[in-house]
């Protein structure tokens, strides 16, 4: 059973397996993505219900632009349709929408939909649903380095000012706590250029379940497994136990 006193504040999810889910049924890939939206709804609802503060979904990576054009168009269409149909429910459930990634690279109608969703939910105080769109961890780090370099040139900061804390403030996740738990569905065991800086001390949960089949019960299982682990941050187990008393 989940310990309500140890709910991870931030859970990140790599939603993998939509295409394979469809292929196993002899369906087109976009049908797998449509079915994946149902899994998103289930997990967002459950995360909100149990008190997760941030839920970050790897929705569309920077590398996904390499996919067939018709699949990309289908994904963007599903994104718009999903927001148009779900925005009122998100607002009524006190859920706030945030986006990380290169929004400027998205189609204009997608950008418009996202900006409207973020604006209309900006005052909500419950779960923050963070969508990683056209996002890549390496790209985000490079962008942060460029911003720091410009601020050094402008004499806003000096080399000696650079620290982990300062660097973090230049990332797209600056105002979001690091994930405590990463879930990846679909049976792969890699992080695929996702939140490279932020996952330094994150606990990982991998499952062979394809994303459209991922539900409330396995989401809870991932959290229970997380709650049973010991996070040491470089210390020994004895040090951690002493600090907890």
């Amino acid at each position: 059973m989940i310990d309500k006193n140890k709910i991870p504040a931030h859970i990140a999810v790599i939603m993998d397996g939509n295409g394979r889910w469809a292929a196993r049924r002899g369906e087109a890939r976009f049908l797998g993505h449509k079915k994946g939206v149902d899994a998103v709804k289930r997990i967002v609802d459950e995360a909100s219900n149990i008190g997760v503060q941030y839920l970050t979904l790897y929705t569309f990576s920077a590398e996904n632009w390499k996919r067939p054009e018709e699949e990309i168009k289908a994904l963007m269409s599903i994104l718009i349709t999903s927001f148009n149909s779900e925005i009122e429910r998100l607002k009524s459930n006190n859920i706030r929408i945030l986006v990380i990634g290169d929004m400027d690279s998205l189609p204009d109608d997608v950008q418009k939909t996202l900006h409207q969703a973020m604006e209309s939910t900006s005052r909500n105080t419950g779960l923050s649903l963070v969508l990683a769109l056209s996002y890549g961890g390496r790209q985000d780090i490079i962008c942060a380095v460029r911003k720091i370099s410009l601020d050094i040139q402008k004499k806003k900061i000096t080399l000696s000012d650079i620290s982990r804390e300062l660097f973090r403030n230049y990332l797209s996740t600056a105002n979001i706590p690091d994930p405590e738990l990463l879930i990846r569905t679909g049976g792969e065991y890699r992080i695929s250029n996702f939140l490279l800086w932020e996952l330094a001390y994150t606990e990982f949960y991998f499952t062979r379940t394809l994303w459209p089949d991922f539900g409330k019960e396995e989401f809870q299982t991932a959290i229970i497994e997380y709650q049973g682990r010991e996070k040491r941050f470089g210390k020994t187990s004895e040090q951690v136990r002493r600090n907890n008393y």
Side-chain angles (χ1 to χ4, degrees):
M1 182 177 294
I2 287 179
D3 183 345
K4 292 293 184 67
N5 296 314
K6 295 182 180 179
I7 299 295
H10 183 182
I11 298 176
V13 184
I14 299 176
M15 306 177 292
D16 194 14
N18 289 341
R20 281 173 286 157
W21 185 93
R24 289 178 184 179
R25 290 160 175 79
E27 304 283 1
R29 288 178 61 87
F30 82 90
L31 291 175
H33 295 306
K34 287 183 69 174
K35 193 67 176 178
V37 172
D38 293 334
V40 170
K41 294 176 185 177
R42 291 194 296 269
I43 300 313
V44 169
D45 286 347
E46 180 62 12
S48 179
N49 289 337
I50 66 176
V52 175
Q53 297 174 31
Y54 291 85
L55 178 68
T56 298
L57 304 180
Y58 204 6
T59 309
F60 188 85
S61 76
E63 288 76 19
N64 285 157
W65 291 111
K66 300 174 185 177
R67 293 191 173 188
E69 185 176 352
E70 66 178 38
E71 182 176 350
I72 293 173
K73 287 181 178 178
L75 283 165
M76 296 300 151
S77 176
I78 290 170
L79 187 62
I80 293 173
T81 301
S82 298
F83 267 110
N84 288 339
S85 63
E86 291 295 315
I87 192 63
E88 292 304 321
R89 194 168 73 91
L90 291 170
K91 288 194 290 187
S92 65
N93 288 336
N94 198 28
I95 294 172
R96 178 175 63 149
I97 302 298
L98 300 174
V99 176
I100 58 173
D102 182 12
M103 279 188 64
D104 290 341
S105 65
L106 298 170
D108 290 343
D109 53 350
V110 175
Q111 290 187 46
K112 181 180 178 181
T113 299
L114 292 171
H115 282 299
Q116 289 174 342
M118 288 189 287
E119 175 61 28
S120 64
T121 63
S122 61
R123 296 184 181 181
N124 290 351
T125 57
L127 172 71
S128 290
L129 176 58
V130 186
L131 303 179
L133 285 161
S134 193
Y135 174 87
R138 287 180 173 178
Q139 292 89 323
D140 202 29
I141 290 171
I142 290 170
C143 185
V145 171
R146 288 173 176 163
K147 290 176 183 177
I148 290 172
S149 299
L150 284 173
D151 280 352
I152 289 175
Q153 290 177 5
K154 295 175 182 178
K155 301 189 184 300
K156 291 183 178 180
I157 58 173
T158 65
L159 281 174
S160 60
D161 291 327
I162 298 175
S163 63
R164 285 183 296 179
E165 291 73 20
L166 181 139
F167 186 85
R168 198 188 188 295
N169 288 333
Y170 283 84
L171 294 169
S172 62
T173 55
N175 297 314
I176 301 170
D178 290 344
E180 294 172 67
L181 172 63
L182 169 73
I183 298 170
R184 177 165 187 155
T185 64
E188 304 292 350
Y189 295 86
R190 54 179 177 268
I191 58 175
S192 299
N193 198 23
F194 185 42
L195 300 175
L196 297 182
W197 177 274
E198 296 85 351
L199 293 177
Y201 289 103
T202 300
E203 296 293 327
F204 291 0
Y205 176 88
F206 295 105
T207 175
R208 297 183 67 84
T209 303
L210 302 179
W211 177 247
D213 293 327
F214 191 78
K216 170 182 174 181
E217 293 76 14
E218 190 166 5
F219 185 64
Q220 292 178 347
T221 297
I223 294 173
I224 291 169
E225 184 171 313
Y226 158 82
Q227 291 178 340
R229 298 180 187 177
E230 179 182 77
K231 300 188 73 173
R232 295 192 296 272
F233 299 102
K235 299 178 182 179
T236 66
S237 296
E238 290 75 14
Q239 287 176 305
V240 172
R241 285 195 287 270
R242 278 201 302 269
N243 290 338
N244 288 334
Y245 289 107

